[in-house]
């Protein structure tokens, strides 16, 4: 589990682009990290634009900001790039919801009701 201290340090290292940083809860970063961790890494950055934060929200059942996804990518040792162009396959993998166990903020909002498994080419 990502510690609050590690998350706070990563927030200061993250390049947020043109948007100002917005974080509601550190668990949002943990959920984004788990989603990114399930994806297949590639040598280059994605060329296709996906609404990553929306996919993560629907999978995790809670609001997640683009800033949360950016911090999660900064923390992940195998992910690089800037939101939304990371080195992950455009053939997205649906992560197992078991990855959310122990993350108290998971499923706190109604986003899961809009989950669409057809957005994913593979399933964990």
């Amino acid at each position: 589990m990502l510690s609050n201290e590690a998350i706070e340090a990563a927030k200061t290292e993250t390049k947020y682009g043109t948007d100002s940083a917005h974080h509601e809860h550190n668990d949002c970063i943990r959920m984004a990290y788990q989603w990114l961790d399930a994806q297949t890494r590639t040598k280059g950055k994605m060329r296709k634009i996906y609404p990553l934060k929306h996919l993560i929200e629907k999978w995790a059942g809670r609001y997640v900001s683009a800033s949360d996804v950016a911090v999660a990518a900064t923390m992940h040792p195998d992910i690089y790039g800037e939101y939304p162009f990371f080195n992950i396959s455009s053939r997205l993998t649906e992560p197992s919801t078991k990855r959310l166990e122990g993350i108290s903020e998971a499923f706190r909002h109604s986003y899961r009701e809009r989950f669409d498994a057809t957005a994913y080419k593979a399933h964990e």
Side-chain angles (χ1 to χ4, degrees):
M1 185 69 68
L2 305 175
S3 71
N4 284 329
E5 294 79 17
I7 289 171
E8 293 305 320
K11 286 178 184 177
T12 65
E13 298 169 16
T14 300
K15 295 178 185 176
Y16 291 103
T18 58
D19 297 333
S20 60
H22 173 75
H23 304 288
E24 287 188 1
H25 197 285
N26 284 346
D27 277 354
C28 299
I29 295 166
R30 291 180 182 100
M31 291 181 284
Y33 184 97
Q34 289 300 323
W35 189 92
L36 288 170
D37 190 57
Q39 304 309 307
T40 301
R41 261 71 82 202
T42 59
K43 291 180 183 178
K45 297 174 188 168
M46 291 178 90
R47 293 191 180 108
K48 187 173 181 179
I49 296 177
Y50 282 100
L52 298 180
K53 73 171 243 64
H54 298 296
L55 291 169
I56 296 167
E57 287 171 340
K58 292 173 186 174
W59 169 70
R62 193 207 191 284
Y63 172 80
V64 172
S65 70
S67 301
D68 294 328
V69 181
V71 173
T74 297
M75 296 186 77
H76 199 288
D78 300 325
I79 301 289
Y80 62 86
E82 290 184 25
Y83 184 89
F85 302 106
F86 299 118
N87 64 315
I88 60 174
S89 173
S90 59
R91 296 180 52 81
L92 299 174
T93 300
E94 175 192 349
S96 168
T97 54
K98 290 184 180 189
R99 288 177 169 270
L100 299 171
E101 291 176 0
I103 300 176
S104 64
E105 289 293 310
F107 310 114
R108 289 283 174 139
H109 300 159
S110 61
Y111 288 84
R112 185 72 184 179
E113 294 169 5
R114 294 176 270 164
F115 179 76
D116 179 12
T118 64
Y120 299 94
K121 301 294 183 206
H123 308 278
E124 231 181 6

